[in-house]
Amino acid sequence: DTGVSQDPRHKITKRGQNVTFRCDPISEHNRLYWYRQTLGQGPEFLTYFQNEAQLEKSRLLSDRFSAERPKGSFSTLEIQRTEQGDSAMYLCASSPREQNQETQYFGPGTRLLVL
Amino acid sequence: DQQVKQNSPSLSVQEGRISILNCDYTNSMFDYFLWYKKYPAEGPTFLISISSIKDKNEDGRFTVFLNKSAKHLSLHIVPSQPGDSAVYFCAAGTASKLTFGTGTRLQVTL
């Protein structure tokens, strides 16, 4: 098992364009999380999935953001009509649903720059 | 509202000495706590965790202490090694998500 993977690792786009990121969790982890990290801050929770069900969304996740996990395996995060304020590192994490206190394992992140 | 705070943005420690990283939280509903280490251009790497019902957890060179009454936790690294130089994030968990502090940059010098 190679851990959580994310693609692409870097994305540069122009304001107003749509972007989509992919996350492949550790196999057999049925929880998947998205976080965003900006310079000088810790990661901030965006949303999470239990299998294919999206169970919680942060108020940081505006209606321009949508996340899916259609088959309960990989997940995509789409940002429509990107703005310069969307520039950040987008992190994906996964955890097994063995108990309530779960360790989340993070991928390498996708760094987004909106020009 | 910063529910998890790491008030020291940076720390410098000599190789072989103890590194102590601190974290404070405000929400009594957090039921577990974790420390992550992060290198530039990589995602956070899990180091150690502690349940809110415990006051200490140890794993090799890493020990986490939790003081619930003070809403304070700390990470001790002993002995510190140059490879420990990174940004360390404290995180507090509820059933569904983690809330992170802003990180402390540790520099271990020779």
Side-chain angles (χ1 to χ4, degrees), chain A residues 9 14 16 20 30 34 46 49 62 64-65 70 74 88 93 100 108:
Chain A
R9 294 290 307 274
K14 292 183 179 179
T20 300
N30 50 24
W34 286 99
L46 293 178
F49 293 84
S62 76
R64 295 185 298 105
F65 288 70
F74 73 92
N100 283 335

Side-chain angles (χ1 to χ4, degrees), chain A residues 9 31 33 35 37 40-43 45 48 56 89 91 100-108, chain B residues 2 31-32 34 36 38 41-44 46 49 51-52 89 94-98 100-102:
Chain A
R9 294 290 307 274
R31 283 203 167 182
Y33 309 80
Y35 290 82
Q37 185 177 16
Q41 301 297 315
F45 171 79
Y48 91 96
E56 186 171 343
M89 172 77 87
L91 293 162
N100 283 335
Q101 298 180 2
E102 307 156 343
T103 297
Q104 295 182 22
Y105 297 92
F106 283 81
Chain B
Q2 193 75 27
D31 51 16
Y32 66 116
L34 310 91
Y36 286 86
K38 189 177 185 302
E42 295 184 11
F46 169 71
S49 64
S51 166
S52 63
F89 288 97
T94 60
S96 60
K97 67 183 182 184
L98 298 178
F100 284 82
T102 52

